[in-house]
Amino acid sequence: GSPNLAVTLEGSFTFWFASEFNRDVFVSDPAAFAPAVGGFCALGLSGIDPLHPDDPDPLDLDTVPADPDVWYLDGRSGDLLLFKGQDALAYFLAANATDLLGAARRTWRDSVLDALPCRS
């Protein structure tokens, strides 16, 4: 993208775009472009992560970080999914991704979002 086509949201997130059209589409609904499940690793947040069986509870969000360079755009849901590494992405795609994504969404919705102070 270009710094001449940059948009800053919430005072700290700056996005650069390659065209005015892309920038304008983003500005019209930035939430539609946000990563699913809070931007955490979709496999880790699912609680079903055989690659890291010793990881603690997925609700300890420090254990489910994501690498913004390891992502997948789900063709069914349109969700942008992030992963903690290439191995997590590969497992997610080889396994039943629909079930794993459903589990990650449930964890995010039922446990993480409900626990946030702004939601009570």
Side-chain angles (χ1 to χ4, degrees):
S2 167
N4 296 329
L5 295 171
V7 173
T8 300
L9 296 178
E10 298 179 18
S12 55
F13 300 102
T14 301
F15 301 87
W16 291 11
F17 297 91
S19 72
E20 289 181 14
F21 174 79
N22 289 347
R23 181 198 58 204
D24 294 345
V25 169
F26 175 81
V27 168
S28 71
D29 188 9
F33 297 90
V37 296
F40 292 96
C41 176
L43 180 62
L45 204 58
S46 75
I48 307 165
D49 187 355
L51 301 173
H52 303 93
D54 297 329
D55 278 354
D57 186 342
L59 296 180
D60 179 0
L61 296 179
D62 290 337
T63 68
V64 291
D67 178 343
D69 292 325
V70 182
W71 55 271
Y72 173 71
L73 187 59
D74 184 62
R76 292 176 300 264
S77 66
D79 286 340
L80 172 61
L81 305 171
L82 302 180
F83 295 88
K84 58 180 126 187
Q86 289 293 335
D87 59 341
L89 171 58
Y91 180 85
F92 183 87
L93 294 175
N96 188 336
T98 302
D99 287 350
L100 293 172
L101 181 54
R105 282 188 178 132
R106 281 188 298 280
T107 300
W108 179 250
R109 179 191 66 229
D110 298 344
S111 300
V112 178
L113 284 180
D114 286 349
L116 293 175
C118 63
R119 303 277 292 193
S120 45

